Amino acid sequence: MNEKYVAQDIEKKWQKYWQENHTFKTEYDEHKDKYYVLEMFPYPSGNLHMGHVRNYSIGDVVARFKKMKGFNVLHPMGWDSFGMPAENAAIKHGIAPKTWTLDNIENMKLQQKALGLSYDWGREVATCKEDYYKWTQWFFREFYKKGLAYKKEAKVNWCETCHTVLANEQVIDGLCWRCDNPVEKKDLSQWFLRITDYADRLLDDLDTLDGWPQRVKLMQKNWIGRSEGTEFSFDVPSINERISVYTTRVDTIYGVSYVVLAPEHPYVERLIANADNKAELETFITRMRNMSDIDRTSTEAPKEGMFTGSYAVNPMSGEQVPIWIANYVLVDYGTGAVMGSPAHDERDWEFAHKYNLPIKPVITHDGEVYDLEKWQESYHEDGILINSGEYDGINSEEARKTITAALQERGIGEGKTNFRLRDWLISRQRYWGVPIPVVYCDTCGEQLVPEEELPVRLPEDVQFESGAVSPLATSESFLNTTCPKCGGPARRETDTMDTFIDSSWYFLRYTDARNDKAPFDKKIANYWMNVDQYIGGIEHAILHLLYSRFFVKVIHDLGLIEANEPFRGLLTQGMVLKDGSKMSKSKGNVVSPEEIINKYGADTARLFILFAAPVDRDLDWSDQGVEGSYRFLGRVWRIVDAYNTAAEANVQGELSKDEVALRRELHRVIKKVTEDLDNNFNFNTAISAIMELVNAMYAHKDKAESINANLANELTHNLVLLLAPFTPHMTEELWHELGETESVHTMNWPTFEESALVVDEVEVVLQVNGKVRDKLVVPVAITKEELETLAKESSRVQEFTEGKQIVKVIYVPGKLVNIVVK
């Protein structure tokens, strides 16, 4: 054995060994308990960063630990490989997106292998390969047949920089999620998935996800945004129509002093037809329509409106109320119209004050009557109704029920559940994505591409031009096809699918990745699903995690799997920071994983990143911390060698008192590390406990002339086993140095002995008047009287009690004796 630990000498050797021996290959085995651990697969940008290293190291510890605990572990890896960057590279460097992507995959795969990750590479998937996207298209067909995929003309989010549309979830504070540039609105015919059909289930089933962080569940709950309310209508006599509104506060209906329409509402044109200021209204409407939804609905944005000149009739009070147009109402949210009850809604209060509209209180706290002059803001809590005709004196909750019933009886209203969630817009005007398997025939209309013709392949004769048309439209060979129904000429759909579709089912493909007859075998998928532990960033809380839940529910309803949720447990790991901020090239604070691996080895990189902070917190990179982790592994290397040499000396006999204490420490650490890893992620405290064991082994070596051979063996073997999930290469080398022939990663996890943890002796503190004067090591079974006698006999205690009167003796079993004197 080399005297010095040199990571570079051993890491490539064992990576080759694991590959040649298929150490981490996983087979379907219904007789074994399974465990499916998965880190979110990366976009192949070209290089791993430290965030990846942290993500994969966490998953790898879980996978290796569960394997050693006897589980049949599924731990796969693949590539979320469609998307904008590949297309941008094609435009910028003239490289085909496929070439750029596959080259990056190869490089990142080498980097992952250099980290010693225990993936079953036989299950690798890449979403851009035909054997994967064929099944993505197959799922689109199933969604379409089920009525869950449809095309409609809609006002959509358009990113001019990326030249594509975005789903609502991909617009963050008015900016594109990928390029951070402003998003505008465009009218386009686009494909959608009816995620809203699953809104109730997506919301209700959050309660079943006990292994998810509350924060993520709350984010999804708020995004889905279910509310219980009433939908009813106001008559508009001037155009002989009814304006429908939705409200959760129908108890404030008698306080309505105006109605607001979205500028795009279909009635607006007729309502302003005879207005004196029609030209001014049209200018205002055009300006509002060109604002982004985010700007229009932001709490900071000023509320802007104009009176149409028309009136609506309050169905309960019979009063005429003015109809306004305002920026804060969106045509595709709710009914595109809202009632204004300014005394009881903050936004309405601001709007009424700005435009001098009536404010009529109809709810009071415990029936108190408010002086409007003294009001500083609206009263928006529940209370008792006033100024509300026959409903005066009843509480808000009761009023909502009875007023809704009255509106329903008159055929102009009903109780309704509304959601903030909108259908998922999946069309993208880009090339590097999954072609939507639809053709358009002048005779037969919209037609699905038949299953036997899948996959619809991406052509290579495309031109990457900017504009609202997909590059696919530039390929004549792709565009022109035949109708599957009549055999006549047809045109292919030129939009591709949102790449979040690809990542919404990849975890299912891993279960049966080489199946060419189906996306996966139902029996095999049922064995592996759900994913027991999913690991990734909090930034995916709404996008990827919500979409994946929706997909699994649809696939469940199609009868293809039993699982109703994709991920049983979810861990959102913290970011890796440098000098207090996120690593980025622009800040010049990036640390390359390759640089660390080349200098210290992968085991050091892994150990540091798992030890430096709890996994769910942000971690600040520290060069000193990396150096310290490297030094610790050197200490492990030397102590295993020293104890192995001691074991070969074959000293036998009963264990000494110190050896019993050292063995107790070993079993304490086995217990601690097991508890920290068993469905917990307390990696930093587990590593800390292993460090304490190593310190105890050094302390014993430095003071003892020899050590019992059996104990030396027990210590070295268990130390290596405990460290194996964290530092796989070094422990594999040490395991074989200890004379073992099989991989350490196929061994059983060590178990602690309760009997070894039993303490025969205990250290007791001796005090005089509450101040420590001495310590004694005594048998655990010592009586109070015996201990009191020993305490009084202590020469140090006698120094402070001599010539004084002992008032009382305070005794805490196993801890202290305090002699009070005066």
Side-chain angles (χ1 to χ4, degrees), residues 500-781:
F500 279 98
I501 298 265
D502 309 329
S503 56
S504 292
W505 74 277
Y506 78 108
F507 42 86
L508 284 160
R509 183 62 175 172
Y510 281 144
T511 65
D512 192 16
R514 299 294 161 257
N515 193 329
D516 59 0
K517 304 286 187 294
F520 47 81
D521 181 284
K522 181 176 179 178
K523 186 174 76 165
I524 294 172
N526 282 340
Y527 169 71
W528 288 114
M529 287 295 289
N530 318 50
V531 175
D532 294 280
Q533 189 59 58
Y534 199 38
I535 304 159
I538 189 81
E539 66 273 17
H540 299 290
I542 289 167
L543 289 156
H544 165 58
L545 290 168
L546 185 65
Y547 293 152
S548 298
R549 294 183 60 224
F550 165 52
F551 247 71
V552 165
K553 288 182 188 307
V554 176
I555 293 169
H556 168 85
D557 290 354
L558 290 168
L560 300 176
I561 50 165
E562 288 170 9
N564 189 39
E565 284 284 342
F567 315 118
R568 182 174 289 121
L570 173 69
L571 172 70
T572 53
Q573 90 274 1
M575 290 191 297
V576 181
L577 311 174
K578 182 94 194 300
D579 306 323
S581 61
K582 188 177 178 182
M583 288 187 187
S584 73
K585 287 176 186 170
S586 61
K587 289 178 187 154
N589 65 346
V590 173
V591 177
S592 149
E594 282 181 319
E595 180 190 325
I596 299 300
I597 290 170
N598 291 340
K599 187 173 179 184
Y600 297 104
D603 285 345
T604 293
R606 292 168 58 121
L607 188 74
F608 165 73
I609 220 155
L610 296 169
F611 176 60
V615 293
D616 57 347
R617 307 254 180 90
D618 289 347
L619 176 156
D620 215 335
W621 186 266
S622 155
D623 293 334
Q624 294 81 6
V626 177
E627 187 69 50
S629 295
Y630 183 67
R631 283 200 307 273
F632 169 69
L633 292 183
R635 278 170 61 77
V636 171
W637 183 268
R638 293 189 297 277
I639 200 68
V640 170
D641 183 40
Y643 273 66
N644 193 29
T645 304
E648 286 164 1
N650 206 23
V651 174
Q652 299 294 331
E654 288 287 311
L655 297 187
S656 69
K657 198 157 91 170
D658 285 348
E659 286 172 339
V660 168
L662 182 56
R663 186 167 188 267
R664 185 185 307 121
E665 176 65 359
L666 168 65
H667 285 268
R668 179 194 72 81
V669 170
I670 293 172
K671 184 180 185 196
K672 167 71 176 157
V673 174
T674 306
E675 287 169 353
D676 280 348
L677 298 191
D678 225 343
N679 300 319
N680 293 308
F681 301 95
N682 301 328
F683 300 156
N684 56 327
T685 55
I687 293 166
S688 184
I690 295 169
M691 289 175 170
E692 288 165 6
L693 174 62
V694 170
N695 288 343
M697 288 171 71
Y698 268 98
H700 183 84
K701 179 180 85 74
D702 292 344
K703 70 178 181 184
E705 290 178 14
S706 65
I707 184 166
N708 179 285
N710 292 333
L711 177 58
N713 256 321
E714 187 182 5
L715 283 159
T716 52
H717 281 71
N718 282 296
L719 173 58
V720 170
L721 290 168
L722 291 173
L723 265 176
F726 301 99
T727 55
H729 308 90
M730 187 186 81
T731 49
E732 191 77 276
E733 179 76 11
L734 291 173
W735 190 249
H736 285 75
E737 286 292 341
L738 292 173
E740 304 296 341
T741 53
E742 291 182 51
S743 170
V744 69
H745 304 295
T746 60
M747 296 296 106
N748 289 332
W749 183 253
T751 52
F752 65 90
E753 289 176 21
E754 284 287 357
S755 59
L757 296 172
V758 175
V759 179
D760 295 329
E761 292 183 324
V762 67
E763 188 176 68
V764 175
V765 171
L766 305 184
Q767 297 178 337
V768 177
N769 287 351
K771 291 187 176 174
V772 177
R773 299 305 183 188
D774 202 357
K775 290 177 183 175
L776 287 179
V777 175
V778 298
V780 169

Side-chain angles (χ1 to χ4, degrees), residues 24-78:
F24 307 116
K25 186 173 171 57
T26 305
E27 300 287 1
Y28 165 78
D29 184 351
E30 60 188 21
H31 303 296
K32 286 185 79 174
D33 288 339
K34 68 89 187 182
Y35 193 89
Y36 187 174
V37 56
L38 184 62
E39 304 98 68
M40 292 181 185
F41 65 169
Y43 179 79
S45 57
N47 284 294
L48 295 185
H49 54 67
M50 278 301 169
H52 289 127
V53 175
R54 192 179 198 195
N55 185 216
Y56 306 148
S57 298
I58 293 166
D60 202 47
V61 170
V62 175
R64 289 176 183 277
F65 173 71
K66 290 293 181 182
K67 186 178 171 86
M68 292 172 81
K69 290 280 280 184
F71 287 92
N72 189 21
V73 172
L74 179 58
H75 187 213
M77 181 45 63

